[in-house]
Amino acid sequence: MNAPWVRRALPALVLVLLAAAPFLLNGFRLRLLTEVLIFGLLAASLDLLVGYTGLTSLGHALGFGVSAYATGIVATRLIANASLTLLAGVAAAVLVSLVTGALAVRARGVYFLMLTLAFGQLAFSLADTWTPVTGGSNGLSLPVFQLVPGAEGGLLSGVVGFYYYTLVAFVLGYAALRRVVSSPFGLALVGIRENEARMRAVGYAVQGYKLAAYCTAGALAGYAGALYAQQQRFVSPGLAGFETSALALVMVIIGGRGTLVGPVLGAGVVLLLRDELSTRFEEWQLVLGVVFIAIVYFLPRGLAAALRQRRAVA
Amino acid sequence: MGGLEDLVDAYAVTVLNGLARGLVLFLIAVGLSLIFGLMDVLNLAHGAVFLLGGYAAVQLAPTGDGFLVALAVAAVLGLLLGGGMAAAVRPIAGRRGHLDQALLTLGASYVLAEIAAIVWGDGYYSPLAPPAVASSVTVLGQAFPAYRLVVIVVGLVLALAVYLLFERTQIGALVRATVADRGMVASLGVNTTVVLVGVFAVGTALAAVGGVLGAPILTVRPGIDRQVLLLALITVVIGGLGSIRGALIGALLIGQVEALGVALLPQFAAFLLFGAMAAVLLVRPAGLFGSLAEAR
Amino acid sequence: MNVLTLEGLGKSYGSLVAVDAVDLAVAEGARHALIGPNGAGKTTLFDMVGGRTRPTRGRILLGDADITRRTEHERARLGVAKTFQHSNLFDGLSVLDNVVMAVQRDAGVARSPWRSVGAHREVRERAGELLSRLGLPDRAGASAGALSHGERRQLEVAVALATRPRLLLLDEPVAGMSPAESSAFVELVRGLPPELTVLIIEHDMDVVFTLATRVSVLHAGRLLEEGTPAEVRDSATVQEAYLGTQDADDIFLTPEPGATRDGAR
């Protein structure tokens, strides 16, 4: 059942399905799928920290939010070009990750968790109060983005066009993460998760590796944040806040940490759940909370592991 | 000269405000800190308990009458919630880092906050202070709400009581020993479960009581649970996890930074807070009263 | 030429002196054993050499270079490798990956974030060779957590050697081993390259006297005696220091059971 060709064919099949999605789904669902891909990137980048390096971050929305705002500010003040704003967003996220990461990787265990939480919240406060630049709690509304400078309207204004743009961006981002985790650097991160003392003993500068992981994850989060700003054409302080960080963490845990693909699945489950619930009840957070609790007890290793187990049994 | 004196007087009021806020914060932070020290559990639902305490005041003492009833109800509610949480967390404590408990307590906080939202909606409530202390008193020539002085006094008394309980009594010694070395205490034949559940319950009750006490000062509204949780986390980070003294000093410091920040630089109040935390952590990575061993 | 030189090295915790001004020189290629009763400060001394503990006085030289203020990972890069008292591996990873982790660092490719681990053929090959040399070639695919106690020690040495050290620190390597495992381990250490310098803490005196070319005796944080194994065995000072026990031979021949912890930690 678990033959090599299945493992080879599965990604191709998924890719074909994703490419065919605009023909299978209505506009509303396609928008949701676009969002799933974007949050899938965010969750997968968080998995690099949580699942591979063993650093639990509660402030991963920092890079996401900062990049979304950088995208928004460049788009409203300079140029609403998709790739330029994406670049600006990622650059801003890396810069912020470098500064906060230098502090955070010094902390151990639960202190890392608290520091990252605080940094995310700091970005939230900044976005909320620095009204002249960020629009304060009203946020910023953004114009339609162009793929090529000078082109009017065009590809990215439609739901289908934007979906394909996101799909390409997702495949590139996901493939990059895949390469990173299967590289010697990725193995070193797993080593840090497994046994930090041993890593130091064989000569690894552990803090440097942690910082590199933190910044890589931050860059990818920024990549997702820029895409999200371009899709929503609206940014608000909540993007950098605790809710977003918690949501990303939940996606990682639900999907299965240390698998990359799991968190993307997790993003699908969480966003679908949120959409389905929020249209039916106003109190969807109540159900979400119950789901979180249930997962801790009944699905402790995530969906990816559960699926793999079923396959192994079958 | 008169200008300078006015300035000093104005800041005296600010300092008192900060003291009142700081002591409310202590009531929340101390439970968070002890629960972590004892069980290695970071309870992200702690802010939601505070929120429920606030709504207890809204429900039972909106005009200040029945304030003591609200306090008692909140305390009992807190004890029950804390006991329940302790039981829920027990099977997963110590499992694979802090991820599961983060998710579990986060889920609990969603549930509690959402229940509150169903019952009380998304309105802003400011319950009144109890009538006996609803007036203002004059402090250094400035009018100051008497209720805030009461909060300061009650907060200090509770802080002292918690301190004495943990530092000077047999029970406290047991708890401190359990913080230091759980296995050792268990091997002495002490039922550590009782200690753990007890501290979880009392710590949670203190947060609920803090919610009632703080309600007339702060506005009770959805979302304040997150804000309060974050402040408590910063407090605990600054003070050092598992330390009562640390929680008190951290809370008083944050109270002052917040009050002065709001008075001086309202735009940057949040930055002052995080700046204070970053500064402390740069110098002492495990907080003022924490040891590195605890930070591991 | 001395590979390791300690000059007046000491560590005190407040008023408690764990190690008191130790002078020690370990010659290149030596099999130098450090012995002494529990609490003598052996592990503290080791931790200072390895970089886990900062000395409060004195200097540590590796060759001619002063490494006193170097961090643990910097020392590893300069050629100080070690095995831990309590076996310390990447239990969740395969045996091969445990060695690859060290080889890729040594080969300078550990920062490479792009080509896959498998594409670095030279790293895998060297890791495979090391496993063969240390008698674990058929265990490459097993999870490190599934190894027997003796195999874990072998793997630890493989990981240590992967960093191509000048100095190898072995902290009670045969503690908890069966006699068979223990003598296999002795053979393994004997088979190490002759130019590699080995400093070893051991309670099992059979192992010490079989392996060591030099022996230093640490007692209450001070260096009591140093010499060839025969000199140390016959030393009056050493015997005197152990007079508390009726027969000095006891200390040397029968290590106390379960004496795997060093009280000075």
Side-chain angles (χ1 to χ4, degrees), chain A residues 172-173 175-209 212 216, chain C residues 52 72-74 76-77 80-84 88-93 97 100-102 104-106 109-118 120 156 159-160 163:
Chain A
L172 291 178
L177 265 177
R178 256 284 154 239
R179 290 212 74 135
V180 168
V181 300
S182 52
S183 72
F185 174 71
L187 183 64
L189 297 187
V190 173
I192 291 171
R193 180 193 73 198
E194 289 280 312
N195 193 338
E196 224 182 291
R198 169 50 83 186
M199 288 301 274
R200 254 182 250 116
V202 294
Y204 284 90
V206 168
Q207 286 203 359
Y209 280 82
T216 309
Chain C
R52 276 160 62 101
E72 193 179 359
H73 73 264
E74 285 171 339
R77 285 159 178 255
V80 181
K82 62 192 161 206
T83 68
F84 292 82
N88 198 332
L89 295 159
F90 305 107
D91 283 347
L93 300 184
D97 277 347
V100 163
M101 196 74 82
Q104 70 173 22
R105 208 281 301 147
D106 181 65
V109 301
R111 290 201 194 88
S112 151
W114 205 242
R115 283 172 65 205
S116 78
V117 174
H120 293 273
E156 281 209 69
V159 171
T163 62

Side-chain angles (χ1 to χ4, degrees), chain A residues 12-284:
Chain A
L13 185 68
V14 169
L15 205 57
V16 168
L17 277 178
L18 283 176
F23 305 101
L24 307 172
L25 302 175
N26 62 29
F28 175 76
R29 291 286 181 200
L30 197 61
R31 256 186 87 83
L32 179 63
L33 184 58
T34 310
E35 231 179 294
V36 167
L37 291 180
I38 294 171
F39 272 93
L41 274 177
L42 177 69
S45 71
L46 177 58
D47 194 25
L48 186 69
L49 282 185
V50 174
Y52 288 88
T53 321
L55 292 170
T56 303
S57 166
L58 264 184
H60 196 56
L62 176 69
F64 188 77
V66 164
S67 166
Y69 269 98
T71 301
I73 291 165
V74 171
T76 48
R77 294 179 183 229
L78 292 171
I79 178 170
N81 174 277
S83 43
L84 286 183
T85 52
L86 191 73
L87 214 63
V90 172
V94 170
L95 205 67
V96 168
S97 299
L98 268 174
V99 175
T100 57
L103 264 176
V105 299
R106 287 163 46 97
R108 290 163 184 273
V110 81
Y111 278 85
F112 179 84
L113 194 145
M114 291 191 188
L115 269 181
T116 49
L117 173 64
F119 288 136
Q121 216 51 29
L122 187 58
F124 171 84
S125 307
L126 181 63
D128 204 35
T129 50
W130 199 13
T131 313
V133 177
T134 62
S137 54
N138 291 328
L140 288 177
S141 290
L142 315 181
V144 174
F145 286 78
Q146 269 93 47
L147 264 184
V148 194
E152 275 303 311
L155 189 59
L156 298 187
S157 57
V159 176
V160 173
F162 198 90
Y163 171 76
Y164 279 117
Y165 165 71
T166 309
L167 181 59
V168 171
F170 171 82
V171 169
L172 291 178
Y174 183 81
L177 265 177
R178 256 284 154 239
R179 290 212 74 135
V180 168
V181 300
S182 52
S183 72
F185 174 71
L187 183 64
L189 297 187
V190 173
I192 291 171
R193 180 193 73 198
E194 289 280 312
N195 193 338
E196 224 182 291
R198 169 50 83 186
M199 288 301 274
R200 254 182 250 116
V202 294
Y204 284 90
V206 168
Q207 286 203 359
Y209 280 82
K210 282 186 180 173
L211 183 60
Y214 184 88
C215 290
T216 309
L220 260 295
Y223 186 70
L227 291 173
Y228 194 62
Q230 294 171 354
Q231 190 215 9
Q232 300 287 313
R233 292 179 37 218
F234 176 70
V235 291
S236 59
L239 291 186
F242 181 69
E243 302 290 336
T244 311
S245 297
L247 212 59
L249 191 62
V250 166
M251 290 167 181
V252 172
I253 300 175
I254 288 183
R257 68 200 80 160
T259 60
L260 280 196
V261 70
V264 180
L265 277 177
V269 171
V270 170
L271 291 184
L272 194 65
L273 203 64
R274 189 191 64 181
D275 264 32
E276 292 296 316
L277 291 176
S278 61
T279 50
R280 286 187 178 73
F281 323 85
E282 230 172 293
E283 302 80 23
W284 65 275

